[in-house]
Amino acid sequence: MALRPDLAIIAAAVPTGSRVLDVGCGDGELMAALRDQGVDARGLEIDPVNVTAAIARGQSVVQGDANRDLADYPGDAFDYAILSQTLQTTERPDRVVDELLRIAPRAFVSFPNFAHWRVRLDLLWGGRMPVTRLLPVAWYETPNIHHVTVSDFRDLLRAKGIGVEAAWYLSGDRPTSAAAATWRAEHAIFLISR
């Protein structure tokens, strides 16, 4: 089974032999792909059903909450931390980013771009929070509590003095350029470091 496009980009960028913590690892799909390419991947997941599924795949996963449990990991315990499609669900994304870069010198962070032109258009014309392929549920049942945009995330990184080593943008499941990414990208993936 093929990886989700953002996960495929992350998997391709993680070097063999790396130690990785996948925060919000879901059912362990990315961790399995990383293991297959010689990466020591561990996971932290809040949903007990996903934890069970990941363990059934042979993954090393603990149940926990990124908002509180990242503080229990020692500094520089991993080479990379991964937070894919989870940033917008955390209580304090700024603190979670700090924790990622405390436990690993580099982190991949991916999120749906809430400033994509279709989202803007739905708000403008329909006056409602959109339901899209990447935002598939109504506003009242969504886990997304922070509606982050590419520009917002770049501003956060700049304010914290965090560097961007690489960034990828997806429109649909295809890469798109950084030009006007806030407008054109449905999804953003950043490799960040201090």
Side-chain angles (χ1 to χ4, degrees):
M1 184 166 148
L3 285 174
R4 207 173 65 206
D6 63 310
L7 299 182
I9 288 169
I10 293 168
V14 175
T16 299
S18 296
R19 295 167 300 135
V20 171
L21 178 64
D22 187 357
V23 180
C25 65
D27 66 2
E29 179 183 18
L30 174 61
M31 293 172 57
L34 291 171
R35 176 194 59 205
D36 292 349
Q37 67 188 48
V39 171
D40 178 9
R42 311 298 169 101
L44 176 70
E45 172 59 41
I46 196 168
D47 182 344
V49 172
N50 280 337
V51 171
T52 301
I55 291 171
R57 286 182 155 188
Q59 302 306 318
S60 177
V61 177
V62 296
Q63 185 174 4
D65 184 342
N67 294 300
R68 286 167 266 302
D69 296 328
L70 289 177
D72 295 334
Y73 286 88
D76 293 322
F78 298 92
D79 300 311
Y80 293 89
I82 298 171
L83 189 74
S84 180
Q85 296 286 348
T86 305
L87 182 71
Q88 70 280 0
T89 68
T90 62
E91 293 167 10
R92 288 293 304 269
D94 57 333
R95 292 181 182 162
V96 170
V97 167
D98 287 339
E99 284 296 311
L100 295 175
L101 292 175
R102 183 187 62 75
I103 62 175
R106 292 184 178 90
F108 290 94
V109 179
S110 77
F111 53 88
N113 176 26
F114 284 87
H116 182 259
W117 69 267
R118 283 190 190 106
V119 174
R120 294 179 191 209
L121 195 61
D122 280 354
L123 281 168
L124 177 68
W125 291 110
R128 290 182 167 76
M129 289 305 296
V131 175
T132 68
R133 185 177 61 84
L134 290 178
L135 305 170
V137 295
W139 68 269
Y140 51 84
E141 58 185 344
T142 183
N144 299 317
I145 59 175
H146 296 286
H147 300 120
V148 64
T149 71
V150 170
S151 293
D152 289 330
F153 191 66
R154 285 189 178 280
D155 288 348
L156 172 66
L157 299 178
R158 194 170 16 263
K160 291 187 158 293
I162 296 170
V164 176
E165 292 190 18
W168 301 265
Y169 306 100
L170 299 173
S171 181
D173 291 339
R174 293 183 311 266
T176 189
S177 73
T182 293
W183 176 259
R184 296 175 56 210
E186 286 181 277
H187 197 147
I189 305 108
F190 284 81
L191 173 57
I192 60 174
S193 63
R194 285 220 187 259

